[in-house]
Amino acid sequence: MERTADGTDGRGGNAGVVVLAVVLAAAGIVAAIDRFGTPLPLPAILAAVPVVAGVVAALGAATLSPRPVLSPPGDPVAGLLLSPLLLVAAPLGIALGGLSGLALVAAAIAGGVLARRVVAPALGRTGAPTLPGAVREHFGAAAGLPAAVAAAAALLLLVAAEARFLAEIIRQTVGLAPGTSAAMVLALVAITVLSGGGRAVALLVVALVPTIALGYLIGPAAAAWQAGALPLPWLPLFGSDAFAGPSRMAAPATIVLAVLLVAGLAALPSLAAPSASSGTTRARRWIVLVAAVLLVAPAYALYGRAAGIDPAASPAALVLNFAAYAGLGAVPALLLAGALVAASALALALALAALGSIVAEDFYARLIERQAPLGRRAVVGRAAMLLAAILAVAVPGDPALLAALGLSVAAATAPVVVVGWAAGIGRRAATAGLLAGTLVVALDAGIALGAPGLGTMLGMTLQPTVLGPTGWMGLPVGASGAPAVLVALLAMGAMTLHERRPRRSSPAAATPSPDPS
């Protein structure tokens, strides 16, 4: 069977069609229930159909061979841009900031393009399976260790954020017990990544993305059709109504968040996974698909404003409660709920697979057992995936803060992974940039969240915001990745100038010895 760039052996497209057909069949059942009524909570349960069908399809890639477990998923990792955190944050940004919010959506897409079209191919040329491994191969072991620590921290924070937000999605859209339901979805995801690793995750993404796109697009399309307009959810993007409200987002805040999105997504280990095929037509199709889905955000903002939804008071309501306030039936509500739950499963699977590979390849095989066979590394990777899934349920915190901190940690490595790589900086400059950037995020968040008294003594304002208390420079700790980018660039530049300064020879070596004659 022909091997495709995503490692799915050509089965991905068929899996996507089958899962979409199953979801449409479930939607037909919901339509019948909605018409005739039933005392059973069947419509709520059917919201899990996309995830269950996708997991069944992905388990077809289950294998006892250790190699696929640690291999990167390939081009389908672009589906990470359909994370429910982004799907909800994009309309929220437009509702709060108008055109500034649209600029943030464009920044998220630009970060994804940079990760898949620039960073991933460059990392792939090293032959390493992970981002920290590629940094180690290119800049040496001294740079590889801080890159691995930053990558593991970023992924663990994002796994926790997705797990917490999954419970909120289930609570607001499905109505079932959120904690138990989220744990069950996370268990299905863990089974998938443990059974097949990167190959199973690639198949899961290919199977779920069509359903996610349908569920996210169908609501605004149905609302437009109900209002007598063309059922094209992208039409508000080309009008002014979606951006007409007063902006509550200052220009400096927009710039900081745009830098965080571009840098954080460009260097996110699960999105910028090394790949040798990210310049192909298949890779471009993935980027175009996720961009088309994200650009529906103005429609959600427009209908939310028309319904009187206050985005500042109910940030997630623009998307999670769309079917209710737009007056849609049970079928669009089910498709949207299923799409958001599937998007959570997709993001969790990608992050867990990347984290397992990093723990096995960049920690165990480098710090504990340098000559570890592939089978043992696969066992360690599976154990790391399972432990991360358990920690994701136990870690407390607000999903927005956890996700922003994860992006900030990834953004702190972007100057080296993106700029330094292209500029050909030296090994010492790369190590200095990685250490300086990650220390800024660690100190800012650690002091503001863990030692607020010390933070006040050091000049932190500690005002509460959606992205955590404000730290240095008045920025929320969740946005500390933006100043970390600047500090890392300065450290890289200073070390590069230090390495390239002309060396003066010592006076003893410069003065010729007198002629004895």
Side-chain angles (χ1 to χ4, degrees), residues 295-313:
L295 289 176
V296 179
Y300 281 93
L302 176 62
Y303 289 110
R305 182 182 298 119
I309 301 296
D310 184 3

mmCIF file with all atom_site columns, all heavy atoms in Angstrom, residues 295-313:
data_model
loop_
_atom_site.group_PDB
_atom_site.id
_atom_site.type_symbol
_atom_site.label_atom_id
_atom_site.label_alt_id
_atom_site.label_comp_id
_atom_site.label_asym_id
_atom_site.label_entity_id
_atom_site.label_seq_id
_atom_site.pdbx_PDB_ins_code
_atom_site.Cartn_x
_atom_site.Cartn_y
_atom_site.Cartn_z
_atom_site.occupancy
_atom_site.B_iso_or_equiv
_atom_site.pdbx_formal_charge
_atom_site.auth_seq_id
_atom_site.auth_comp_id
_atom_site.auth_asym_id
_atom_site.auth_atom_id
_atom_site.pdbx_PDB_model_num
ATOM 1   N N   . LEU A 1 295 ? -11.682 31.518 9.504  1.00 0.00 ? 295 LEU A N   1
ATOM 2   C CA  . LEU A 1 295 ? -12.192 32.779 8.961  1.00 0.00 ? 295 LEU A CA  1
ATOM 3   C C   . LEU A 1 295 ? -13.715 32.866 8.998  1.00 0.00 ? 295 LEU A C   1
ATOM 4   O O   . LEU A 1 295 ? -14.290 33.830 8.488  1.00 0.00 ? 295 LEU A O   1
ATOM 5   C CB  . LEU A 1 295 ? -11.681 32.974 7.530  1.00 0.00 ? 295 LEU A CB  1
ATOM 6   C CG  . LEU A 1 295 ? -10.182 33.294 7.434  1.00 0.00 ? 295 LEU A CG  1
ATOM 7   C CD1 . LEU A 1 295 ? -9.729  33.373 5.992  1.00 0.00 ? 295 LEU A CD1 1
ATOM 8   C CD2 . LEU A 1 295 ? -9.862  34.599 8.159  1.00 0.00 ? 295 LEU A CD2 1
ATOM 9   N N   . VAL A 1 296 ? -14.369 31.887 9.594  1.00 0.00 ? 296 VAL A N   1
ATOM 10  C CA  . VAL A 1 296 ? -15.805 31.978 9.853  1.00 0.00 ? 296 VAL A CA  1
ATOM 11  C C   . VAL A 1 296 ? -16.062 32.754 11.143 1.00 0.00 ? 296 VAL A C   1
ATOM 12  O O   . VAL A 1 296 ? -17.209 33.103 11.454 1.00 0.00 ? 296 VAL A O   1
ATOM 13  C CB  . VAL A 1 296 ? -16.423 30.564 9.917  1.00 0.00 ? 296 VAL A CB  1
ATOM 14  C CG1 . VAL A 1 296 ? -17.911 30.596 10.210 1.00 0.00 ? 296 VAL A CG1 1
ATOM 15  C CG2 . VAL A 1 296 ? -16.187 29.837 8.605  1.00 0.00 ? 296 VAL A CG2 1
ATOM 16  N N   . ALA A 1 297 ? -15.016 33.076 11.886 1.00 0.00 ? 297 ALA A N   1
ATOM 17  C CA  . ALA A 1 297 ? -15.171 33.746 13.178 1.00 0.00 ? 297 ALA A CA  1
ATOM 18  C C   . ALA A 1 297 ? -16.009 35.027 13.108 1.00 0.00 ? 297 ALA A C   1
ATOM 19  O O   . ALA A 1 297 ? -16.805 35.280 14.025 1.00 0.00 ? 297 ALA A O   1
ATOM 20  C CB  . ALA A 1 297 ? -13.787 34.038 13.765 1.00 0.00 ? 297 ALA A CB  1
ATOM 21  N N   . PRO A 1 298 ? -15.880 35.884 12.064 1.00 0.00 ? 298 PRO A N   1
ATOM 22  C CA  . PRO A 1 298 ? -16.729 37.092 12.037 1.00 0.00 ? 298 PRO A CA  1
ATOM 23  C C   . PRO A 1 298 ? -18.217 36.789 12.073 1.00 0.00 ? 298 PRO A C   1
ATOM 24  O O   . PRO A 1 298 ? -18.995 37.580 12.626 1.00 0.00 ? 298 PRO A O   1
ATOM 25  C CB  . PRO A 1 298 ? -16.322 37.772 10.726 1.00 0.00 ? 298 PRO A CB  1
ATOM 26  C CG  . PRO A 1 298 ? -14.927 37.320 10.475 1.00 0.00 ? 298 PRO A CG  1
ATOM 27  C CD  . PRO A 1 298 ? -14.878 35.916 10.983 1.00 0.00 ? 298 PRO A CD  1
ATOM 28  N N   . ALA A 1 299 ? -18.651 35.671 11.510 1.00 0.00 ? 299 ALA A N   1
ATOM 29  C CA  . ALA A 1 299 ? -20.078 35.330 11.538 1.00 0.00 ? 299 ALA A CA  1
ATOM 30  C C   . ALA A 1 299 ? -20.548 35.081 12.964 1.00 0.00 ? 299 ALA A C   1
ATOM 31  O O   . ALA A 1 299 ? -21.630 35.538 13.375 1.00 0.00 ? 299 ALA A O   1
ATOM 32  C CB  . ALA A 1 299 ? -20.335 34.103 10.669 1.00 0.00 ? 299 ALA A CB  1
ATOM 33  N N   . TYR A 1 300 ? -19.756 34.374 13.762 1.00 0.00 ? 300 TYR A N   1
ATOM 34  C CA  . TYR A 1 300 ? -20.124 34.144 15.157 1.00 0.00 ? 300 TYR A CA  1
ATOM 35  C C   . TYR A 1 300 ? -20.192 35.466 15.919 1.00 0.00 ? 300 TYR A C   1
ATOM 36  O O   . TYR A 1 300 ? -21.100 35.694 16.734 1.00 0.00 ? 300 TYR A O   1
ATOM 37  C CB  . TYR A 1 300 ? -19.107 33.208 15.818 1.00 0.00 ? 300 TYR A CB  1
ATOM 38  C CG  . TYR A 1 300 ? -19.311 31.748 15.481 1.00 0.00 ? 300 TYR A CG  1
ATOM 39  C CD1 . TYR A 1 300 ? -18.634 31.155 14.417 1.00 0.00 ? 300 TYR A CD1 1
ATOM 40  C CD2 . TYR A 1 300 ? -20.167 30.966 16.227 1.00 0.00 ? 300 TYR A CD2 1
ATOM 41  C CE1 . TYR A 1 300 ? -18.818 29.818 14.104 1.00 0.00 ? 300 TYR A CE1 1
ATOM 42  C CE2 . TYR A 1 300 ? -20.355 29.624 15.928 1.00 0.00 ? 300 TYR A CE2 1
ATOM 43  C CZ  . TYR A 1 300 ? -19.678 29.060 14.865 1.00 0.00 ? 300 TYR A CZ  1
ATOM 44  O OH  . TYR A 1 300 ? -19.876 27.729 14.559 1.00 0.00 ? 300 TYR A OH  1
ATOM 45  N N   . ALA A 1 301 ? -19.221 36.360 15.672 1.00 0.00 ? 301 ALA A N   1
ATOM 46  C CA  . ALA A 1 301 ? -19.227 37.657 16.347 1.00 0.00 ? 301 ALA A CA  1
ATOM 47  C C   . ALA A 1 301 ? -20.448 38.479 15.946 1.00 0.00 ? 301 ALA A C   1
ATOM 48  O O   . ALA A 1 301 ? -21.071 39.141 16.789 1.00 0.00 ? 301 ALA A O   1
ATOM 49  C CB  . ALA A 1 301 ? -17.941 38.412 16.019 1.00 0.00 ? 301 ALA A CB  1
ATOM 50  N N   . LEU A 1 302 ? -20.800 38.439 14.664 1.00 0.00 ? 302 LEU A N   1
ATOM 51  C CA  . LEU A 1 302 ? -21.935 39.222 14.174 1.00 0.00 ? 302 LEU A CA  1
ATOM 52  C C   . LEU A 1 302 ? -23.245 38.751 14.788 1.00 0.00 ? 302 LEU A C   1
ATOM 53  O O   . LEU A 1 302 ? -24.038 39.557 15.311 1.00 0.00 ? 302 LEU A O   1
ATOM 54  C CB  . LEU A 1 302 ? -21.995 39.132 12.651 1.00 0.00 ? 302 LEU A CB  1
ATOM 55  C CG  . LEU A 1 302 ? -23.188 39.814 11.973 1.00 0.00 ? 302 LEU A CG  1
ATOM 56  C CD1 . LEU A 1 302 ? -23.167 41.306 12.252 1.00 0.00 ? 302 LEU A CD1 1
ATOM 57  C CD2 . LEU A 1 302 ? -23.182 39.545 10.473 1.00 0.00 ? 302 LEU A CD2 1
ATOM 58  N N   . TYR A 1 303 ? -23.515 37.450 14.740 1.00 0.00 ? 303 TYR A N   1
ATOM 59  C CA  . TYR A 1 303 ? -24.766 36.934 15.287 1.00 0.00 ? 303 TYR A CA  1
ATOM 60  C C   . TYR A 1 303 ? -24.805 37.064 16.810 1.00 0.00 ? 303 TYR A C   1
ATOM 61  O O   . TYR A 1 303 ? -25.872 37.260 17.393 1.00 0.00 ? 303 TYR A O   1
ATOM 62  C CB  . TYR A 1 303 ? -24.969 35.484 14.863 1.00 0.00 ? 303 TYR A CB  1
ATOM 63  C CG  . TYR A 1 303 ? -25.302 35.338 13.401 1.00 0.00 ? 303 TYR A CG  1
ATOM 64  C CD1 . TYR A 1 303 ? -24.393 34.779 12.509 1.00 0.00 ? 303 TYR A CD1 1
ATOM 65  C CD2 . TYR A 1 303 ? -26.524 35.774 12.900 1.00 0.00 ? 303 TYR A CD2 1
ATOM 66  C CE1 . TYR A 1 303 ? -24.685 34.647 11.160 1.00 0.00 ? 303 TYR A CE1 1
ATOM 67  C CE2 . TYR A 1 303 ? -26.828 35.650 11.555 1.00 0.00 ? 303 TYR A CE2 1
ATOM 68  C CZ  . TYR A 1 303 ? -25.911 35.096 10.687 1.00 0.00 ? 303 TYR A CZ  1
ATOM 69  O OH  . TYR A 1 303 ? -26.205 34.985 9.353  1.00 0.00 ? 303 TYR A OH  1
ATOM 70  N N   . GLY A 1 304 ? -23.656 36.968 17.461 1.00 0.00 ? 304 GLY A N   1
ATOM 71  C CA  . GLY A 1 304 ? -23.622 37.165 18.899 1.00 0.00 ? 304 GLY A CA  1
ATOM 72  C C   . GLY A 1 304 ? -23.979 38.584 19.291 1.00 0.00 ? 304 GLY A C   1
ATOM 73  O O   . GLY A 1 304 ? -24.722 38.811 20.253 1.00 0.00 ? 304 GLY A O   1
ATOM 74  N N   . ARG A 1 305 ? -23.469 39.572 18.530 1.00 0.00 ? 305 ARG A N   1
ATOM 75  C CA  . ARG A 1 305 ? -23.816 40.958 18.816 1.00 0.00 ? 305 ARG A CA  1
ATOM 76  C C   . ARG A 1 305 ? -25.303 41.196 18.573 1.00 0.00 ? 305 ARG A C   1
ATOM 77  O O   . ARG A 1 305 ? -25.962 41.908 19.337 1.00 0.00 ? 305 ARG A O   1
ATOM 78  C CB  . ARG A 1 305 ? -22.983 41.901 17.949 1.00 0.00 ? 305 ARG A CB  1
ATOM 79  C CG  . ARG A 1 305 ? -23.277 43.380 18.237 1.00 0.00 ? 305 ARG A CG  1
ATOM 80  C CD  . ARG A 1 305 ? -22.484 44.319 17.338 1.00 0.00 ? 305 ARG A CD  1
ATOM 81  N NE  . ARG A 1 305 ? -21.059 44.148 17.550 1.00 0.00 ? 305 ARG A NE  1
ATOM 82  C CZ  . ARG A 1 305 ? -20.216 43.767 16.600 1.00 0.00 ? 305 ARG A CZ  1
ATOM 83  N NH1 . ARG A 1 305 ? -20.654 43.522 15.377 1.00 0.00 ? 305 ARG A NH1 1
ATOM 84  N NH2 . ARG A 1 305 ? -18.939 43.638 16.860 1.00 0.00 ? 305 ARG A NH2 1
ATOM 85  N N   . ALA A 1 306 ? -25.835 40.615 17.492 1.00 0.00 ? 306 ALA A N   1
ATOM 86  C CA  . ALA A 1 306 ? -27.260 40.791 17.200 1.00 0.00 ? 306 ALA A CA  1
ATOM 87  C C   . ALA A 1 306 ? -28.141 40.193 18.301 1.00 0.00 ? 306 ALA A C   1
ATOM 88  O O   . ALA A 1 306 ? -29.235 40.693 18.571 1.00 0.00 ? 306 ALA A O   1
ATOM 89  C CB  . ALA A 1 306 ? -27.597 40.153 15.854 1.00 0.00 ? 306 ALA A CB  1
ATOM 90  N N   . ALA A 1 307 ? -27.655 39.133 18.945 1.00 0.00 ? 307 ALA A N   1
ATOM 91  C CA  . ALA A 1 307 ? -28.426 38.497 20.019 1.00 0.00 ? 307 ALA A CA  1
ATOM 92  C C   . ALA A 1 307 ? -28.198 39.137 21.378 1.00 0.00 ? 307 ALA A C   1
ATOM 93  O O   . ALA A 1 307 ? -28.784 38.708 22.373 1.00 0.00 ? 307 ALA A O   1
ATOM 94  C CB  . ALA A 1 307 ? -28.080 37.014 20.089 1.00 0.00 ? 307 ALA A CB  1
ATOM 95  N N   . GLY A 1 308 ? -27.332 40.148 21.444 1.00 0.00 ? 308 GLY A N   1
ATOM 96  C CA  . GLY A 1 308 ? -27.077 40.831 22.705 1.00 0.00 ? 308 GLY A CA  1
ATOM 97  C C   . GLY A 1 308 ? -26.116 40.102 23.620 1.00 0.00 ? 308 GLY A C   1
ATOM 98  O O   . GLY A 1 308 ? -26.111 40.356 24.824 1.00 0.00 ? 308 GLY A O   1
ATOM 99  N N   . ILE A 1 309 ? -25.271 39.224 23.077 1.00 0.00 ? 309 ILE A N   1
ATOM 100 C CA  . ILE A 1 309 ? -24.296 38.509 23.898 1.00 0.00 ? 309 ILE A CA  1
ATOM 101 C C   . ILE A 1 309 ? -23.155 39.464 24.251 1.00 0.00 ? 309 ILE A C   1
ATOM 102 O O   . ILE A 1 309 ? -22.569 40.098 23.367 1.00 0.00 ? 309 ILE A O   1
ATOM 103 C CB  . ILE A 1 309 ? -23.745 37.279 23.162 1.00 0.00 ? 309 ILE A CB  1
ATOM 104 C CG1 . ILE A 1 309 ? -24.882 36.321 22.788 1.00 0.00 ? 309 ILE A CG1 1
ATOM 105 C CG2 . ILE A 1 309 ? -22.703 36.568 24.014 1.00 0.00 ? 309 ILE A CG2 1
ATOM 106 C CD1 . ILE A 1 309 ? -25.591 35.729 23.967 1.00 0.00 ? 309 ILE A CD1 1
ATOM 107 N N   . ASP A 1 310 ? -22.832 39.576 25.527 1.00 0.00 ? 310 ASP A N   1
ATOM 108 C CA  . ASP A 1 310 ? -21.706 40.400 25.971 1.00 0.00 ? 310 ASP A CA  1
ATOM 109 C C   . ASP A 1 310 ? -20.456 39.532 26.015 1.00 0.00 ? 310 ASP A C   1
ATOM 110 O O   . ASP A 1 310 ? -20.320 38.677 26.902 1.00 0.00 ? 310 ASP A O   1
ATOM 111 C CB  . ASP A 1 310 ? -21.991 40.981 27.356 1.00 0.00 ? 310 ASP A CB  1
ATOM 112 C CG  . ASP A 1 310 ? -20.874 41.921 27.819 1.00 0.00 ? 310 ASP A CG  1
ATOM 113 O OD1 . ASP A 1 310 ? -19.929 42.157 27.037 1.00 0.00 ? 310 ASP A OD1 1
ATOM 114 O OD2 . ASP A 1 310 ? -20.960 42.412 28.960 1.00 0.00 ? 310 ASP A OD2 1
ATOM 115 N N   . PRO A 1 311 ? -19.519 39.717 25.085 1.00 0.00 ? 311 PRO A N   1
ATOM 116 C CA  . PRO A 1 311 ? -18.342 38.837 25.050 1.00 0.00 ? 311 PRO A CA  1
ATOM 117 C C   . PRO A 1 311 ? -17.444 38.994 26.265 1.00 0.00 ? 311 PRO A C   1
ATOM 118 O O   . PRO A 1 311 ? -16.735 38.059 26.627 1.00 0.00 ? 311 PRO A O   1
ATOM 119 C CB  . PRO A 1 311 ? -17.629 39.254 23.763 1.00 0.00 ? 311 PRO A CB  1
ATOM 120 C CG  . PRO A 1 311 ? -18.100 40.646 23.502 1.00 0.00 ? 311 PRO A CG  1
ATOM 121 C CD  . PRO A 1 311 ? -19.498 40.714 24.020 1.00 0.00 ? 311 PRO A CD  1
ATOM 122 N N   . ALA A 1 312 ? -17.472 40.165 26.893 1.00 0.00 ? 312 ALA A N   1
ATOM 123 C CA  . ALA A 1 312 ? -16.629 40.359 28.073 1.00 0.00 ? 312 ALA A CA  1
ATOM 124 C C   . ALA A 1 312 ? -17.172 39.581 29.267 1.00 0.00 ? 312 ALA A C   1
ATOM 125 O O   . ALA A 1 312 ? -16.407 39.047 30.074 1.00 0.00 ? 312 ALA A O   1
ATOM 126 C CB  . ALA A 1 312 ? -16.527 41.843 28.404 1.00 0.00 ? 312 ALA A CB  1
ATOM 127 N N   . ALA A 1 313 ? -18.508 39.504 29.384 1.00 0.00 ? 313 ALA A N   1
ATOM 128 C CA  . ALA A 1 313 ? -19.110 38.793 30.510 1.00 0.00 ? 313 ALA A CA  1
ATOM 129 C C   . ALA A 1 313 ? -19.170 37.291 30.281 1.00 0.00 ? 313 ALA A C   1
ATOM 130 O O   . ALA A 1 313 ? -19.023 36.505 31.220 1.00 0.00 ? 313 ALA A O   1
ATOM 131 C CB  . ALA A 1 313 ? -20.510 39.335 30.775 1.00 0.00 ? 313 ALA A CB  1
#
